[in-house]
Amino acid sequence: MEFRVFVEPQQGASYTDQLAVAQTAERLGYAAFFRSDHYLAMSGDGLPGPTDSWVTLGAIARETSQIRLGTLVTSATFRYPGPLAVAVAQVDEMSGGRVEFGLGSGWFEAEHQAYGIPFPSVRERFDRLTEQLAIVTGLWTTPPGETFDYSGAHYTIAGSPALPKPVQTPHPPIVIGGTGAKRTPELAAAYAAEFNLPFVSMEVAERQFQRVSDAVDAAGRAADSIVYSCAFVLCAGRDDAEVARRASVIGREVDEMRSNSPLVGTPAEIVDKLGPWAELGTQRVYAQMLDMSDLAHLELFAEEVLPQLR
C-alpha cells in the first residue's frame, strides 16, 4: 500500500498550517499531500477562513521537492474549465511535475450559496463534469502550435492555443471518485489514472471497485492501468488513552470512528484492519488528518504503520 496525507483546510487552517503538514509528510516519507477543495466549514467557525486549493498548492510546490500534490477533489462548479486547465498546468510546472488532479461534480450546496456560486441539479453537475474532463484533457494534449475547439451544452472553446502545457505527459494523473453506479465508473474508465472512494464501507467499496473494473475492461484498458484508493479518517495512538485523546480533540467518538475507519486505533490494530482492504484491492490510502497541529500524529503513523504495509 501507498500512503498519502489528506487535509480539510476549510475546517480551520492557514496556509502556514498546511505547509507544515506537507513538509512534515515529505520528511516522513508519505507519497503525497492532498487537500480538499471547499470554501465553507462543515462544522465549527472555520477560522481563519478558507484557502483556495490551487493557490495553496502552487505555494507548497515551491516549498517542497519530492512529495506529490493534489486535490480530493476540485469541484467542477467552482471554475471554468479553461482557466482551471491553466492553473493546474502552472502548478505542475511550479512543482516540477508533481501534481495530481482530482475533479468531481461538487455536492456542498451551502458553500455555493455562501460564495455566490451557481449550484445546478445533480444531472447538470455531472454533465458539466463530463465536459470539463473532455476540455481540460483536450487542452493539455493538443500538440503545440495547434488549436483546440470544443462545443458542448455548457462550454464552448474556440481557437484556443491550449497553453500552457503541464510538465507531465500526456498530462497530470486524474483522480475520479464516488459511488455512482453508471456515469462515475464510465468517467473513471475514460479519464482516470486513479479511482478513489472516500469514507465508505468495505461492502460499498467492493461493489464500486468491481463496477469500475468492469468499465475499464469495457473501455479496452488494461486492468492494471488504474489505481484503486480509499480515504479514511486517521486517529492513531500508542494506546487507547492516546487514541481517545486525539478523538476528543477533533470532536469524534472513538467507537464511531473505529466502526467506519481502519485507521483508528493502535498501530497493531490499524495494520490488522488494513489487511482486508488490501485484499479487496485497495492500493493507495489517504489518511485524513483533521487536527493539523498534531504533527506527532503523522510521525507515529509513519514510524509504526507505514513500514509494515508498504
Side-chain angles (χ1 to χ4, degrees), residues 108-145:
F108 190 23
E109 184 174 8
E111 72 185 338
H112 292 72
Q113 295 171 343
Y115 287 91
I117 304 168
F119 187 72
S121 67
V122 172
R123 178 182 293 275
E124 182 177 331
R125 296 201 305 276
F126 263 90
D127 290 344
R128 287 181 178 272
L129 171 62
T130 301
E131 291 191 23
Q132 288 213 7
L133 286 164
I135 292 168
V136 171
T137 56
L139 290 167
W140 285 340
T141 57
T142 296

Side-chain angles (χ1 to χ4, degrees), residues 16-309:
T16 301
D17 296 328
Q18 295 170 71
L19 177 61
V21 173
Q23 290 178 327
T24 300
E26 181 172 70
R27 175 176 60 82
L28 292 171
Y30 289 89
F33 170 86
F34 269 60
R35 55 155 290 160
S36 60
D37 190 14
H38 285 295
Y39 291 126
L40 190 68
M42 284 78 175
S43 60
D45 56 24
L47 291 173
T51 50
D52 182 87
S53 60
W54 289 104
V55 171
T56 301
L57 291 175
I60 289 175
R62 305 304 298 170
E63 300 291 340
T64 54
S65 60
Q66 296 179 328
I67 197 164
R68 296 190 68 80
L69 305 168
T71 52
L72 277 184
V73 291
T74 291
S75 174
T77 57
F78 289 175
R79 301 166 180 87
Y80 288 108
L84 179 58
V86 171
V88 178
Q90 182 179 2
V91 178
D92 197 43
E93 189 274 333
M94 294 168 73
S95 69
R98 291 184 282 126
V99 159
E100 302 191 12
F101 178 48
L103 187 64
S105 61
W107 63 270
F108 190 23
E109 184 174 8
E111 72 185 338
H112 292 72
Q113 295 171 343
Y115 287 91
I117 304 168
F119 187 72
S121 67
V122 172
R123 178 182 293 275
E124 182 177 331
R125 296 201 305 276
F126 263 90
D127 290 344
R128 287 181 178 272
L129 171 62
T130 301
E131 291 191 23
Q132 288 213 7
L133 286 164
I135 292 168
V136 171
T137 56
L139 290 167
W140 285 340
T141 57
T142 296
E146 298 184 15
T147 58
F148 176 74
D149 298 275
Y150 181 89
S151 180
H154 301 287
Y155 307 104
T156 299
I157 305 289
S160 174
L163 297 172
K165 302 300 184 193
V167 171
Q168 297 175 86
T169 56
H171 52 70
I174 292 172
V175 183
I176 291 175
T179 57
K182 181 173 173 57
R183 296 184 71 177
T184 297
E186 289 174 349
L187 287 176
Y191 294 103
E194 176 184 338
F195 180 74
N196 176 263
L197 284 172
F199 319 117
V200 300
S201 68
M202 189 169 291
E203 292 75 19
V204 170
E206 182 176 20
R207 180 171 64 247
Q208 194 68 350
F209 282 174
Q210 187 60 56
R211 287 170 176 163
V212 173
S213 177
D214 291 344
V216 166
D217 182 64
R221 289 178 56 177
D224 62 358
S225 66
I226 190 166
V227 172
Y228 295 89
S229 68
C230 290
F232 306 109
V233 63
L234 174 65
C235 188
R238 290 178 175 81
D239 52 36
D240 286 345
E242 190 170 54
V243 174
R245 178 182 63 78
R246 287 196 163 112
S248 176
V249 169
I250 61 175
R252 300 281 292 271
E253 295 293 332
V254 174
D255 291 344
E256 171 263 321
M257 286 194 294
R258 268 197 167 110
S259 69
N260 57 40
S261 171
L263 303 188
V264 177
T266 63
E269 183 181 352
I270 291 170
V271 170
D272 286 345
K273 290 195 293 185
L274 281 173
W277 286 94
E279 293 173 4
L280 187 67
T282 307
Q283 300 159 282
R284 183 173 287 163
V285 170
Y286 291 83
Q288 185 196 41
M289 184 183 178
L290 294 176
D291 178 9
M292 294 174 61
S293 68
D294 188 2
L295 300 180
H297 200 181
L298 286 183
E299 293 180 0
L300 171 66
F301 195 77
E303 293 170 359
E304 302 293 336
V305 176
L306 268 60
Q308 300 186 62
L309 292 168

